[in-house]
Amino acid sequence: DNKDPPLPGECPNQDVIDKLQELRELHKAKPSAEDRWRVFSYDKAIRSLKDYPTRIKSCKEARAIRSIGEKTAQKIMEIIQTGNLRRIKYERTEDVGVINLLQGIYGVGRNTAFQWYAAGCRTLEDVKARKGGIKLSASQEIGLKFYADINTRMPRSEAAAIFEIIKPIARSIDPNLVIEIMGSFRRGKADCGDIDILITRPTADGGNHRGVLKHLLRELHRRGIITENLAMPEDFDDLELIYRGLCRRDPHSMRRRIDFLTVPYESRGAALLYYTGDDIFNRSMRLKANKMGYSLNQKGLFAGVVRNPRDRRQKTNQGNIIASETEREIFDILGVPWQEPHERVR
Ligand code: DCP
Ligand code: MG
Ligand code: MN
């Protein structure tokens, strides 16, 4: 009997995972605290199922798996025996489709989507007409205008082409810049939701990348590569900046989402690790760090962080940075075997 966890793509209970995932998405688009709790518990169940090495045969067997309770075990058996889960149809109410539609507008999160739904909006036309007196921010307005473009993933080749346009422009501003593409592109995915670009610069010669992003954005706007700004840094004089916008390869292309990130040279490894993802992989690295008494974020790996026991997000001591320059040293300290970006999917 083989008890190794299944390889990705070879999970013997994938059909079960798919159905539970579908149900999870439905609960995620609903407002109640109970729905939120269900999302959380389906997440845990799905993670356990992904690691389970054999086809589940009975309710009792399902019940014995970590994070799977009686009700989920029954749902699992229904899927295994009938290929179906009736609960999905029952939860697929009108509001779910609308909430997901509204959340597709850039800058609209769950809360705004629920508010606009309550105000009577059911379609993008309703939003355009400001039905119920709703108000849109500047970036939401851009999100609405380019709804179709923003919600279409681009082929990898297009992300590469845009990156190859931007790189020499950045290098012409400062030949010593380090410019890398992160996110799904670096993980080798065939299509990308956006382009994630990291910019930094070595400081050994006394220089840095201060002011570069401002200069670069001005140049990209001038050439019509960047067409709209969605989120601007407050102070372009910082070394650490996040910019979000829309771009296009040429005037005949669709608009694509683009993110720029600039970081101090010392934290390039931690930034690269975080923004390469994927988010599930990041969560497991953070968890590993926490278990070892460390704390990991996009700036680095920290030791001696003290958190407020009543609110774990609050740090009462910032700790000391122990790794941040390369991805490899962070893997090493956490005792995680090196994984190439394309392997970082869990
Ligand atoms: N990230 C994260 N948690 C978040 C958002 C992002 O850990 N809530 C990290 C992991 C992501 C990376 O940042 O891989 C880049 O974010 P994107 O939203 O651009 O996601 P991807 O590039 O992975 O996918 P996509 O092709 O959809 O852009
Ligand atoms: Mg991305
Ligand atoms: Mn991104």
Side-chain angles (χ1 to χ4, degrees):
D1 196 339
N2 166 28
K3 285 289 173 200
D4 288 337
L7 295 168
E10 289 183 357
C11 180
N13 299 293
Q14 191 58 46
D15 53 339
V16 176
I17 292 168
D18 291 345
K19 290 276 187 236
L20 292 182
Q21 190 78 39
E22 217 177 318
L23 190 54
R24 175 204 186 272
E25 297 312 321
L26 294 173
H27 284 296
K28 197 167 164 77
K30 291 171 189 241
S32 81
E34 203 189 352
D35 289 304
R36 212 152 10 169
W37 172 250
R38 289 207 170 111
V39 170
F40 179 69
S41 77
Y42 286 131
D43 273 344
K44 285 199 298 181
I46 288 166
R47 247 173 282 147
S48 291
L49 284 171
K50 279 186 180 158
D51 289 332
Y52 198 70
T54 56
R55 181 71 173 167
I56 297 167
K57 291 186 187 61
S58 70
C59 197
K60 189 164 165 251
E61 183 185 355
R63 187 74 180 78
I65 300 171
R66 186 167 51 92
S67 306
I68 293 181
E70 185 58 38
K71 283 183 186 159
T72 306
Q74 281 169 13
K75 289 189 180 72
I76 291 172
M77 287 323 288
E78 183 187 338
I79 298 164
I80 285 181
Q81 285 162 356
T82 69
N84 205 353
L85 184 57
R86 287 162 299 174
R87 184 63 181 259
I88 289 175
K89 202 168 152 193
Y90 169 81
E91 295 289 352
R92 198 180 292 288
T93 44
E94 188 227 0
D95 57 335
V96 168
V98 176
I99 296 298
N100 286 333
L101 176 85
L102 297 179
Q103 276 194 262
I105 301 171
Y106 179 89
V108 175
R110 285 166 52 85
N111 292 339
T112 305
F114 290 136
Q115 276 172 30
W116 290 2
Y117 186 87
C121 294
R122 297 292 180 270
T123 64
L124 296 181
E125 290 310 314
D126 290 343
V127 176
K128 272 181 200 144
R130 307 293 193 268
K131 193 165 179 178
I134 61 163
K135 289 201 160 60
L136 275 68
S137 69
S139 61
Q140 287 167 344
E141 224 165 300
I142 295 167
L144 181 62
K145 188 168 172 193
F146 300 107
Y147 188 92
D149 284 14
I150 293 174
N151 286 288
T152 306
R153 297 178 69 82
M154 75 191 98
R156 182 179 179 76
S157 57
E158 189 170 338
I162 293 170
F163 185 59
E164 291 311 320
I165 294 170
I166 293 175
K167 201 161 46 174
I169 298 174
R171 286 264 167 71
S172 74
I173 296 168
D174 181 343
N176 296 310
L177 294 179
V178 172
I179 309 152
E180 289 195 68
I181 186 162
M182 312 177 288
S184 50
F185 186 92
R186 185 163 179 249
R187 296 198 311 277
K189 284 206 61 172
D191 51 72
C192 305
D194 68 353
I195 306 172
D196 301 290
I197 296 176
L198 176 77
I199 297 178
T200 186
R201 185 194 187 282
T203 51
D205 64 355
N208 63 40
H209 57 271
R210 201 179 306 282
V212 161
L213 185 61
K214 189 174 182 180
H215 195 150
L216 176 61
L217 292 173
R218 200 188 309 129
E219 192 54 27
L220 293 174
H221 268 291
R222 198 181 64 77
R223 297 185 191 220
I225 302 296
I226 288 192
T227 50
E228 282 82 20
N229 300 321
L230 293 168
M232 284 284 216
E234 271 174 33
D235 182 358
F236 271 107
D237 283 338
D238 288 343
L239 285 178
E240 192 185 327
L241 300 171
I242 296 180
Y243 167 87
R244 301 182 197 283
L246 300 183
C247 67
R248 56 183 172 185
R249 179 162 54 174
D250 60 63
H252 309 288
S253 313
M254 285 171 78
R255 280 172 169 76
R256 304 300 190 183
R257 279 272 301 109
I258 187 161
D259 290 338
F260 283 100
L261 179 80
T262 75
V263 297
Y265 193 61
E266 317 81 73
S267 56
R268 66 196 179 280
L272 200 53
L273 184 65
Y274 178 86
Y275 289 98
T276 296
D278 65 7
D279 46 354
I280 309 290
F281 169 81
N282 285 353
R283 196 190 316 162
S284 73
M285 290 291 269
R286 267 198 310 271
L287 210 65
K288 187 90 214 284
N290 293 344
K291 279 183 185 156
M292 296 172 76
Y294 299 142
S295 173
L296 178 65
N297 62 30
Q298 57 272 46
K299 296 184 192 197
L301 183 63
F302 295 81
V305 173
V306 182
R307 289 174 193 276
N308 179 350
R310 276 185 214 90
D311 180 0
R312 304 272 310 152
R313 289 164 304 181
Q314 257 184 44
K315 292 176 188 165
T316 48
N317 185 324
Q318 296 299 316
N320 305 309
I321 197 154
I322 54 173
S324 64
E325 294 201 8
T326 65
E327 291 183 316
R328 224 172 256 276
E329 59 186 310
I330 297 171
F331 274 89
D332 285 349
I333 295 175
L334 295 181
V336 176
W338 172 254
Q339 283 169 270
E340 293 296 335
H342 72 269
E343 297 174 304
R344 300 179 198 168
V345 284
R346 178 137 57 131

